[in-house]
Amino acid sequence: MPLKKLGEDAFIKGLAERFKSRHPRLLKGIGDDTSVTAQAGGRALLATTDILVEGTHFRRDYTPAYLLGKKSLSVSLSDIAAMGGSPLFFLVSIALPPDIGKKFLDELYRGLADVSSRWGCRLAGGNTARTPDGIMVSTTVFGEAAEDEIVYRKGARSGDVIFVTGTLGSSALGLKVLGDHGPGSLKRGPYKGSVARHLDPEPRLKAGRALAESRLATAMMDISDGLALDLKRLCLESRKAAAVYLSSIPISEELKRYGEKTGRSPRLDFALTGGEDYELLFTSPEENIPRLSALSRKLSLPFTPIGKILSGRARRTVTVIGEDGSPFVLKRLGFEHF
Amino acid sequence: MPLKKLGEDAFIKGLAERFKSRHPRLLKGIGDDTSVTAQAGGRALLATTDILVEGTHFRRDYTPAYLLGKKSLSVSLSDIAAMGGSPLFFLVSIALPPDIGKKFLDELYRGLADVSSRWGCRLAGGNTARTPDGIMVSTTVFGEAAEDEIVYRKGARSGDVIFVTGTLGSSALGLKVLGDHGPGSLKRGPYKGSVARHLDPEPRLKAGRALAESRLATAMMDISDGLALDLKRLCLESRKAAAVYLSSIPISEELKRYGEKTGRSPRLDFALTGGEDYELLFTSPEENIPRLSALSRKLSLPFTPIGKILSGRARRTVTVIGEDGSPFVLKRLGFEHF
């Protein structure tokens, strides 16, 4: 079977099954945003790895090297955020074709360095390789958290409210605008904010830490492959189902305007199924809402309730309730890697 | 400047300079086989990352997927060995073009799983991506060691004897034979042992641990880019120079025979400048030779003295003494990544 049909979740599951990694210190292997390894003193080591591949995750002509450097580290930091951890160190592997110049590399470094110093995530090691043509940047970030503060995907309980931080779908809109109007759309035009969201996502580290420390979130993950697909993953890990109200999904003014102008549904076509939001998806019991509101204000980051966790006996893992109140079925859940 | 001219060491140096990573817990960042991070209880976390890129590090038609899986983990384990550490966990990123089938993937997994279980290095996380065409496997291995047992590149002292484990140059011969005679040369023909060394290297974890635990090695690294270039790196980190006796470099019977048959110098053309040996290069004071001989017998792995560490005031970092006793200059030190 070609991988296109196999799908990423099956692929990862195959890997997990092949290894059945059990070790008293490996608290979580495959199946969450990062691995979790017990350390001395009740602390746990979090580790996560990501790759950005030219032609798949970015186009060279649309992506300034500086922002490629920033994004390659930010996406891994987003995974640390999703566990409620603090980043410590990172390793980077940079694979480049021989025609790439020193200027490109300097800009890539500068982007990595800026994100590194902003979040206190220090460079611990590097590795370089030549490629026949494409650029590839792989980062591995390790962080830490108190063992009993880590928020896993598996903790959602029936009746919990589902929240997302920020707004969704802007990155998917930015990608579309880049494709339609080229790299100039980052600097000017009505959707430059969305293009910036796509090329330069912000890891929600402060929110992730605050939600973990305050013990307000029962389950958490970052949204990298689209809300629908990622919520399904959270539900499967928690052995629960979920209902999401389409009209509750928070979207930006730019995405709203784009929807009005083009007649496309901003929530259905972008916010629910677009990828690379790097916002946090988390669940919390209803009684926490006042404390969550206070925290959201303190962080200047919206926490928006978008649905409810249902018992695992529901017929469908994720049900979307449309603007007219009737449930419907999504044909395509989100961004699949194959 | 294109990277081809910049060279890998300059590239890594640029990265290190840009970051100047200092943190009380980061005992070693860039400049050794792994990063070293202090943990509680006098233990240190070791972390290293490697990428294998199709068209650069391997050819799809010459590399069984099973051996690609094995090698992608073994090369990172070799870095853990070079610090004297024990492996704990690994993360893997697999980037594949959409036409790759499930059988290839199963074989890749099987290779990873076999090396994983052999060395007790458990899978902690995985990540997948699509590529436009080439295959890429990136592994990050985490290991541990007692802080005071770690062997760095920087510890060599004037007068120390330079040793290598096993034999050198076989992997480079294997690569040449694969190029000349195709993938069948792994199964049959006079150089199949060398082809196997290239496609399926063995990380020297037992030797690395034993050398660290016994405190016999003053400096250590693995040989991945050729003896000449890697010894130069060890010398630069130790602020020393070195003399190597060409005739002392241990080579396999196959490589000897190849030299006799073709008239090429097996030590000069393969052992000194070939890449991917994944043997250990280490230094030790002369008085340790009896204990090293005993350890070598116990491990059934030759430790061969090949030269001496000289004071850093020597004119050249690495001087090679030819078979006639006169020193000479190498035009090309080893495998460069650009």
Side-chain angles (χ1 to χ4, degrees):
Chain A
M1 196 185 339
L3 289 181
K4 219 184 296 188
K5 287 195 185 161
L6 186 65
E8 196 201 8
D9 287 351
F11 178 104
I12 295 274
K13 207 174 152 221
L15 198 60
E17 274 169 12
R18 164 74 73 177
F19 284 85
K20 293 202 195 313
S21 296
R22 281 186 212 289
H23 186 276
R25 286 180 57 192
L26 188 61
L27 304 179
K28 185 75 202 179
I30 279 179
D32 220 305
D33 292 82
T34 75
S35 70
V36 182
T37 309
Q39 288 183 298
R43 302 288 293 172
L45 179 78
L46 311 174
T48 179
T49 190
D50 281 286
I51 341 176
L52 297 184
V53 179
E54 180 178 349
T56 298
H57 302 99
F58 67 93
R59 281 177 55 167
R60 200 188 302 192
D61 52 346
Y62 286 7
T63 313
Y66 171 67
L67 295 185
L68 178 63
K70 285 189 77 176
K71 185 168 180 175
S72 63
L73 184 51
S74 293
V75 298
S76 290
L77 288 171
S78 178
D79 287 320
I80 300 287
M83 306 300 284
S86 303
L88 281 174
F89 303 105
F90 76 104
L91 307 171
V92 60
S93 284
I94 301 172
L96 299 172
D99 62 308
I100 285 282
K102 193 172 174 309
K103 193 166 167 255
F104 180 96
L105 197 61
D106 279 341
E107 283 293 290
L108 186 74
Y109 285 166
R110 193 165 68 83
L112 283 166
D114 280 0
V115 175
S116 162
S117 70
R118 167 146 185 224
W119 298 109
C121 181
R122 285 158 185 91
L123 179 74
N127 179 286
T128 61
R130 191 165 50 75
T131 66
D133 40 33
I135 298 168
M136 205 275 314
V137 185
S138 169
T139 48
T140 300
V141 170
F142 41 116
E144 269 189 345
E147 241 180 65
D148 59 356
E149 281 181 14
I150 295 170
V151 189
Y152 294 92
R153 294 182 183 176
K154 68 183 174 197
R157 289 170 300 193
S158 303
D160 280 358
V161 180
I162 303 165
F163 293 86
V164 294
T165 62
T167 57
L168 303 186
S170 294
S171 174
L173 173 60
L175 178 62
K176 167 135 190 53
V177 170
L178 268 174
D180 291 348
H181 303 287
S185 52
L186 172 64
K187 292 270 161 68
R188 57 191 170 273
Y191 307 116
K192 63 183 183 185
S194 304
V195 174
R197 282 287 302 268
H198 179 71
L199 293 176
D200 187 15
E202 162 114 354
R204 298 299 187 195
L205 281 159
K206 281 181 192 164
R209 269 304 297 135
L211 286 164
E213 209 169 33
S214 61
R215 292 175 165 77
L216 288 170
T218 49
M220 186 156 62
M221 69 184 294
D222 77 336
I223 306 175
S224 54
D225 293 335
L227 172 63
L229 183 56
D230 285 330
L231 178 57
K232 185 180 170 187
R233 289 171 177 151
L234 185 143
C235 285
L236 291 175
E237 284 291 320
S238 293
R239 297 168 191 271
K240 294 285 178 289
V244 169
Y245 296 90
L246 191 62
S247 59
S248 302
I249 300 173
I251 59 171
S252 69
E253 288 303 318
E254 281 186 12
L255 182 51
K256 251 176 239 170
R257 263 191 281 123
Y258 181 86
E260 283 156 15
K261 208 166 163 182
T262 60
R264 294 186 64 182
S265 162
R267 291 194 172 83
L268 203 53
D269 296 344
F270 292 91
L272 200 57
T273 51
E276 301 208 85
D277 292 307
Y278 301 109
E279 295 291 352
L280 295 176
L281 169 68
F282 65 95
T283 57
S284 186
E286 205 157 347
E287 70 255 28
N288 286 342
I289 289 181
R291 288 180 63 202
L292 284 169
S293 300
L295 184 58
S296 160
R297 275 193 303 276
K298 199 179 137 194
L299 295 165
S300 305
L301 179 69
F303 293 170
T304 308
I306 58 164
K308 278 260 186 186
I309 294 293
L310 310 174
S311 107
R313 288 186 302 275
R315 205 168 57 90
R316 250 175 209 290
T317 309
V318 175
T319 301
V320 180
I321 317 288
E323 321 224 332
D324 63 353
S326 56
F328 63 91
V329 175
L330 286 174
K331 281 205 180 130
R332 185 179 152 274
L333 281 182
F335 182 76
E336 285 272 1
H337 293 264
F338 287 105
Chain B
M1 194 184 342
L3 289 180
K4 219 185 295 189
K5 286 195 183 158
L6 185 65
E8 195 200 8
D9 286 354
F11 178 105
I12 295 275
K13 210 176 149 216
L15 198 58
E17 275 170 9
R18 164 74 70 176
F19 285 86
K20 294 203 196 313
S21 295
R22 279 183 216 289
H23 185 275
R25 288 180 56 192
L26 187 62
L27 305 179
K28 185 76 204 180
I30 278 178
D32 219 304
D33 293 82
T34 74
S35 69
V36 182
T37 310
Q39 288 183 296
R43 302 287 292 173
L45 180 76
L46 311 174
T48 179
T49 189
D50 281 287
I51 342 176
L52 298 184
V53 179
E54 181 178 349
T56 298
H57 302 98
F58 66 93
R59 280 176 55 169
R60 201 188 301 192
D61 52 345
Y62 286 7
T63 311
Y66 171 67
L67 296 185
L68 178 63
K70 285 190 77 175
K71 186 169 179 174
S72 62
L73 184 51
S74 293
V75 299
S76 289
L77 288 172
S78 178
D79 287 321
I80 300 288
M83 306 301 283
S86 303
L88 282 174
F89 304 104
F90 76 104
L91 306 172
V92 62
S93 285
I94 301 174
L96 298 172
D99 62 308
I100 284 282
K102 192 170 176 308
K103 196 168 165 253
F104 181 96
L105 197 61
D106 278 341
E107 283 293 291
L108 187 73
Y109 285 166
R110 194 166 66 84
L112 283 165
D114 280 2
V115 174
S116 162
S117 70
R118 168 148 185 222
W119 297 109
C121 181
R122 284 156 186 90
L123 179 73
N127 179 286
T128 61
R130 191 166 50 77
T131 66
D133 41 31
I135 298 166
M136 205 275 316
V137 185
S138 169
T139 49
T140 301
V141 172
F142 296 90
E144 269 190 344
E147 240 181 64
D148 59 355
E149 280 181 15
I150 295 170
V151 189
Y152 294 92
R153 293 182 183 176
K154 67 184 175 195
R157 290 169 298 194
S158 303
D160 279 358
V161 180
I162 303 163
F163 292 85
V164 292
T165 61
T167 58
L168 303 186
S170 293
S171 174
L173 173 60
L175 178 62
K176 169 141 189 52
V177 170
L178 268 174
D180 291 348
H181 302 287
S185 53
L186 172 64
K187 292 270 160 70
R188 55 192 172 272
Y191 307 116
K192 63 184 184 185
S194 304
V195 174
R197 283 286 302 268
H198 178 71
L199 293 176
D200 186 16
E202 161 114 356
R204 298 300 187 193
L205 281 159
K206 281 181 192 166
R209 271 303 299 136
L211 285 164
E213 207 168 35
S214 61
R215 293 175 161 76
L216 288 169
T218 49
M220 185 154 66
M221 69 185 294
D222 78 335
I223 306 174
S224 54
D225 293 334
L227 173 63
L229 183 56
D230 284 329
L231 178 56
K232 185 180 170 187
R233 289 171 176 153
L234 186 145
C235 285
L236 291 174
E237 284 291 320
S238 294
R239 296 167 191 270
K240 292 286 177 289
V244 168
Y245 296 89
L246 190 63
S247 60
S248 301
I249 300 173
I251 59 172
S252 69
E253 287 304 317
E254 280 186 11
L255 182 51
K256 250 177 237 169
R257 264 191 280 121
Y258 181 87
E260 282 157 14
K261 208 164 162 185
T262 59
R264 293 186 66 181
S265 163
R267 291 193 173 83
L268 203 52
D269 297 342
F270 293 90
L272 199 57
T273 51
E276 300 208 87
D277 292 308
Y278 300 109
E279 295 290 351
L280 296 175
L281 169 69
F282 64 95
T283 58
S284 187
E286 204 156 351
E287 68 258 28
N288 285 342
I289 288 181
R291 288 180 63 201
L292 285 168
S293 301
L295 184 59
S296 159
R297 274 193 306 275
K298 199 179 137 196
L299 295 164
S300 304
L301 179 70
F303 292 171
T304 307
I306 59 164
K308 279 262 187 186
I309 294 293
L310 312 173
S311 108
R313 288 186 302 275
R315 203 167 58 89
R316 246 171 214 292
T317 308
V318 175
T319 301
V320 180
I321 316 289
E323 319 223 334
D324 64 352
S326 55
F328 64 91
V329 175
L330 286 175
K331 281 207 179 128
R332 184 180 154 274
L333 280 183
F335 181 77
E336 284 273 2
H337 292 263
F338 288 104

